[in-house]
Amino acid sequence: MVTRKEDFSKWYLQTIQQADLMDYSPVRGCIIFKPNGYEIWEHIQEYFNKRLKEEGIRNAYFPMLIPESFFTREKDHIEGFSPELPWVTEAAGEVLEERLALRPTSETMIGDAFSNWINSYRDLPYEINQWANVFRWEKRTLPFLRTSEFLWQEGHTAHADEEDARHRTMRMLEIYAELLEELLAVPVFKGEKTPSERFAGAVQTFSVEAMMQDGKAVQAGTSHYMGTKFAEAFNIRYLNKDNEHVYAHTTSWGVSTRLIGSMIMTHSDDQGLVLPPAIAPQQVVFIPVGPKKKLDQVLEKVKDLDAQLKAAGVRTYIDDSDNSAGYKFNEWELRGAAIRIEVGPRDIENNQVIMKARDEDEKNAITMDGLAEQVHQALALMQNRLLEKARQRNQANMYTHIDTLDELIDHIENKKAANETPGWVLVGWDGSEESEAKIKELTGFTTRNLPFENYFVGENALVKKDKCLVSGKPAKETVWIARAY
């Protein structure tokens, strides 16, 4: 198996296939989610649905096919998505009167519905979410991270005023950050996207960005404040308390199955998949070991221990196949089981099991008494270790000392010569599209976001750039730049 250092992209593809997460579809750019891959998405759904309920947001579902005329109502929106749209032009042997797009996103369809559902200030805020598949015809694809069809959730809300809409926009961004860090153990950078990276038709786009082990960025989630642009395009108006018909302020926000790819690229190693316990389909795998004549006795005890863990809410699996113990150990390393527990005749005599966490090398003998409590503790420790390891790696690959384009080019060349990642670079930006485009043209780096947080070097030195990396003019913004998936 190729290592991360040798070829990160090839390593990633080998990892997800050997872990049995997906398969390729006969349709270019589309993948099949196998049960282990889809279960990861189910755990994301469970977490996020719980958060939605806490926010008072309910799920709905809208049709996949969207009339072409809907897209033409908002000029920026159609221009932003037009190159990626697949169209349905014929059905039942007849040419359709109007082309229908396969859903790239649902602002237009939901905007049309909101215009019928929202009439009074009493109807606001109106907040819904849908879990759906969407289509964006990609030329270059990478499973989970960028495919022509993918799964996501998209939230859409309408509000009486800008303040309430902006509160929802930022609240969802915060929930995305919590989802990534608490569930996936992926640390994120929160901030605002530059105008060139803004969602088509939005007033402002905010994102959570994640750094992969190879130093590249993934836009992990976005939240958009739409102002009244879509409300004007789709006539989403309501009667306010002053008896005036006014436009609602809308938002939209979403994360997709690229979260799965991001998590894999953040945590996995050269032995295979590493999954945070909170999301692993198999949190504990039991492996009975010992001579064949005693395996029935061992298996009986394993089933008892398995029942204890299941009752305590742990996702378990007993591997009682006739493969060798060594084969099983290797197989579950590849598949990313969080904890492996070996049980043999001698362990039963000693009232113990042998436990190994996926992210650590050593095995530990632990007593069978109170096993569930010990497993829960081990899972929590592993979850925290993965998050902290990712944070430390991010810190090691964040560069804040680069102030000119020449310095950036030298930095990239030096890292390439050392076979190291150039990471993320915090730079000053004069706010012009010309300077932003120049960085991309000469280095392949793109702007990730304008960070909310103040980033520090060491303990005390506040980093805020005062000069544009490209033009040398006074910086209007400090921005993270990096190569991205």
Side-chain angles (χ1 to χ4, degrees), residues 212-467:
M212 304 297 96
Q213 288 185 59
D214 63 348
K216 288 186 179 179
V218 169
Q219 180 179 285
T222 50
S223 188
H224 318 286
Y225 169 60
M226 302 294 196
T228 61
K229 294 174 73 173
F230 276 86
E232 291 169 22
F234 288 88
N235 197 32
I236 309 172
R237 296 198 297 169
Y238 70 97
L239 196 65
N240 66 15
K241 292 181 180 180
D242 297 324
N243 215 35
E244 301 167 323
H245 276 100
V246 295
Y247 288 110
H249 291 251
T250 66
T251 80
S252 70
W253 25 272
V255 294
S256 75
T257 40
R258 69 170 22 205
L259 291 180
I260 298 173
S262 303
M263 175 186 61
I264 293 166
M265 283 190 171
T266 298
H267 300 303
S268 298
D269 59 26
D270 292 340
Q271 283 68 54
L273 194 64
V274 176
L275 296 176
I279 205 163
Q282 295 86 22
Q283 292 177 314
V284 171
V285 170
F286 283 100
I287 300 181
V289 297
K292 283 187 178 182
K293 61 184 180 181
K294 293 190 176 183
L295 274 181
D296 286 344
Q297 174 196 354
V298 171
L299 190 56
E300 185 178 344
K301 185 62 179 179
V302 164
K303 287 178 178 177
D304 177 55
L305 296 173
D306 179 72
Q308 292 178 36
L309 294 192
K310 275 188 166 66
V314 180
R315 296 187 292 274
T316 65
Y317 181 82
I318 299 173
D319 189 344
D320 57 355
S321 67
D322 60 2
N323 291 316
S324 69
Y327 179 92
K328 294 178 186 180
F329 297 162
N330 182 62
E331 183 74 4
W332 290 108
E333 292 271 312
L334 287 172
R335 288 172 175 255
I339 287 176
R340 186 177 81 220
I341 293 181
E342 305 164 31
V343 183
R346 187 171 298 175
D347 297 313
I348 295 174
E349 291 174 11
N350 295 329
N351 194 42
Q352 69 176 26
V353 299
I354 306 300
M355 184 170 72
K356 180 188 179 299
R358 173 63 181 83
D359 65 321
E360 294 191 317
D361 294 330
E362 67 273 9
K363 299 179 182 182
N364 295 298
I366 61 171
T367 177
M368 290 184 184
D369 299 328
L371 181 63
E373 183 179 346
Q374 295 178 83
V375 166
H376 275 300
Q377 183 180 22
L379 292 171
L381 288 171
M382 179 178 171
Q383 186 84 17
N384 291 334
R385 279 197 306 271
L386 292 178
L387 178 59
E388 186 56 33
K389 183 178 179 181
R391 283 176 173 158
Q392 290 176 3
R393 186 173 56 246
N394 284 4
Q395 190 69 39
N397 290 288
M398 292 158 53
Y399 299 94
T400 60
H401 64 282
I402 295 168
D403 294 317
T404 69
L405 195 53
D406 286 341
E407 288 176 0
L408 176 61
I409 292 170
D410 286 344
H411 167 76
I412 293 169
E413 290 178 350
N414 290 338
K415 289 295 181 182
K416 183 178 180 180
N419 196 26
E420 297 175 353
T421 171
W424 290 29
V425 180
L426 194 67
V427 302
W429 176 50
D430 61 14
S432 72
E433 288 188 11
E434 291 79 12
S435 292
E436 190 176 6
K438 196 73 172 176
I439 294 171
K440 183 176 182 179
E441 176 191 348
L442 295 180
T443 68
F445 277 47
T446 55
T447 53
R448 303 322 309 153
N449 61 25
L450 315 174
F452 296 151
E453 296 95 339
N454 293 322
Y455 287 90
F456 293 82
V457 177
E459 292 293 326
N460 303 310
L462 176 65
V463 175
K464 186 176 181 182
K465 297 293 185 172
D466 57 8
K467 187 175 68 172

Side-chain angles (χ1 to χ4, degrees), residues 14-30:
Q14 288 182 347
T15 297
I16 59 177
Q17 288 183 290
Q18 291 181 348
D20 205 34
L21 300 182
M22 53 73 65
D23 199 359
Y24 289 100
S25 158
V27 179
R28 187 189 67 82
C30 299

Side-chain angles (χ1 to χ4, degrees), residues 168-178 190-191 206-208 221-223 452:
R168 173 51 67 206
T169 304
M170 303 315 295
R171 176 66 183 142
M172 296 316 300
L173 191 75
E174 190 61 39
I175 289 174
Y176 287 154
E178 291 167 5
K190 294 176 288 186
F206 303 91
S207 71
V208 284
T222 50
S223 188
F452 296 151

